[in-house]
C-alpha cells in the first residue's frame, strides 16, 4: 500500500538555523509529492509540490527534491524564521483524483 | 475569493448522538474530499466526491459514517450513534477536479468533534 514516514518531532531551532525535515514514502506507480503546512489556528495549506523524479518544489524559501532512487522528499530551508513555526505534513497522491496519503506531521518551533 | 468553509467549527456530542458536519467548497470545484485527523496525527482519507457522485468511500471507518453531496456543491458528513473514538478533527478539501496528480487541494479549517 501507500505510506509516508516523516521524521519524528518536535523540532526546535533558533532563528536563522538550517532546517531539514525528512520524508520517505512507499507507493505504487509515480505519485506526486507535497508538503502541506498548518500554522497555529489555521487550516492546512499547500507549501510546495513536485510531480516527477528530480523535480524540485520551492516556495517561501523552502525546497524539496523528488528523489525516486531513495523514495524521499525531504524539506529544507536555509534560514528559518519565528514565523515558520507550524506543523509540516508530507503527503503523496498516487491516483489521478487526489486521494492524499499524509505523514504524521512534524512540529517545528523556531525561537528568536 | 472565499475559501473552503466548514461548520460548525466545534461540536461536542454525547455518546450515541448523531452529528452532521457541513462543508462549503470553493465555487466551481468539482472534487471534494473528507479527511479525519486524530490528535497528533496526519489527516486520513475518508471519502471522495466528483460533483454529486461519491466515487470512493473506502476510508469511512464504519457504516455509522455517511457522506452526501446531493447537488454537487455543499457536502455533509453524518456520523450516527457517535462513539468516543470518533473524536477528531474532520477536514474538508476541494479541488478543480481535472484528474491531475499534482492538483492542489484546498482545505477548510476543520470541525473539531469531541464525543463525551
Amino acid at each position: 500500500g501507500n505510506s509516508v514516514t516523516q521524521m519524528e518531532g518536535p523540532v526546535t531551532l533558533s532563528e536563522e538555523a538550517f532546517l531539514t525535515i525528512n520524508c520517505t514514502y512507499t507507493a505504487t506507480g509515480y505519485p506526486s509529492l507535497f508538503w502541506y503546512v498548518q500554522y497555529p489556528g489555521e487550516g492546512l495549506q499547500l507549501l510546495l509540490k513536485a510531480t516527477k523524479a528530480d523535480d524540485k518544489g520551492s516556495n517561501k524559501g523552502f525546497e524539496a527534491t523528488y528523489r525516486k532512487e531513495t523514495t524521499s522528499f525531504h524539506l529544507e530551508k536555509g534560514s528559518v524564521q519565528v514565523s515558520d513555526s507550524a506543523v509540516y505534513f508530507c503527503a503523496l497522491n498516487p491516483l489521478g483524483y487526489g486521494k492524499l496519503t499524509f505523514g504524521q506531521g512534524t512540529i517545528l518551533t523556531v525561537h528568536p | 475569493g472565499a475559501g473552503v468553509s466548514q461548520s460548525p467549527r466545534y461540536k461536542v456530542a454525547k455518546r450515541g448522538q448523531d452529528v452532521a458536519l457541513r462543508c462549503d467548497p470553493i465555487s466551481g470545484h468539482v472534487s471534494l474530499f473528507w479527511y479525519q485527523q486524530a490528535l497528533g496525527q496526519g489527516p486520513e482519507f475518508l471519502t471522495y466526491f466528483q460533483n454529486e457522485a461519491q466515487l470512493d468511500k473506502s476510508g469511512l471507518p464504519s457504516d455509522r459514517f455517511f457522506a452526501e453531496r446531493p447537488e454537487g456543491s455543499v457536502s455533509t458528513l453524518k456520523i450516527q450513534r457517535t462513539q468516543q473514538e470518533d473524536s477528531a478533527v474532520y477536514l474538508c478539501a476541494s479541488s478543480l477536479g481535472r484528474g491531475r496528480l499534482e492538483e492542489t487541494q484546498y482545505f477548510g479549517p476543520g470541525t473539531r468533534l469531541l464525543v463525551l
Side-chain angles (χ1 to χ4, degrees), chain A residues 49 51 93 95-99, chain B residues 33 56 58 99 101-102 104-105:
Chain A
K49 63 184 176 183
T51 60
N93 176 18
L95 302 172
Y97 59 86
K99 180 178 178 179
Chain B
F33 305 83
D56 187 340
S58 61
L101 285 176
E102 71 271 24
T104 298
Q105 289 184 28

Side-chain angles (χ1 to χ4, degrees), chain B residues 31-84:
Chain B
S31 296
L32 185 144
F33 305 83
W34 284 98
Y35 295 86
Q36 180 190 58
Q37 186 177 15
L39 188 64
Q41 301 298 314
E44 293 194 356
F45 172 84
L46 292 177
T47 188
Y48 157 67
F49 289 85
Q50 184 179 60
N51 295 307
E52 69 279 4
Q54 188 176 20
L55 299 185
D56 187 340
K57 54 181 181 180
S58 61
L60 295 177
S62 76
D63 58 8
R64 296 187 295 104
F65 287 71
F66 172 77
E68 60 182 5
R69 192 185 185 197
E71 297 179 358
S73 55
V74 171
S75 177
T76 303
L77 177 66
K78 298 179 179 178
I79 309 173
Q80 297 176 327
R81 306 181 302 282
T82 53
Q83 304 295 314
Q84 287 185 321

Side-chain angles (χ1 to χ4, degrees), chain A residues 57-77:
Chain A
S58 61
N59 186 26
K60 300 183 180 180
F62 291 89
E63 293 183 339
T65 300
Y66 190 143
R67 300 289 188 198
K68 191 161 179 62
E69 65 275 13
T70 54
T71 61
S72 65
F73 193 54
H74 304 322
L75 182 68
E76 296 183 335
K77 187 174 185 181

Side-chain angles (χ1 to χ4, degrees), chain A residues 13-92:
Chain A
L13 296 172
S14 297
E15 204 165 25
E16 299 184 1
F18 184 85
L19 168 70
T20 299
I21 300 178
N22 290 339
C23 170
T24 58
Y25 68 91
T26 302
T28 55
Y30 301 92
S32 286
L33 302 174
F34 304 82
W35 277 100
Y36 277 83
V37 59
Q38 189 169 36
Y39 297 104
E42 300 184 15
L44 277 168
Q45 55 187 273
L46 179 68
L47 179 60
L48 54 82
K49 63 184 176 183
T51 60
K52 60 183 186 296
D54 300 324
D55 266 2
K56 178 184 286 186
S58 61
N59 186 26
K60 300 183 180 180
F62 291 89
E63 293 183 339
T65 300
Y66 190 143
R67 300 289 188 198
K68 191 161 179 62
E69 65 275 13
T70 54
T71 61
S72 65
F73 193 54
H74 304 322
L75 182 68
E76 296 183 335
K77 187 174 185 181
S79 177
V80 293
Q81 305 300 311
V82 172
S83 57
D84 294 328
S85 298
V87 184
Y88 292 82
F89 294 93
C90 185
L92 64 83

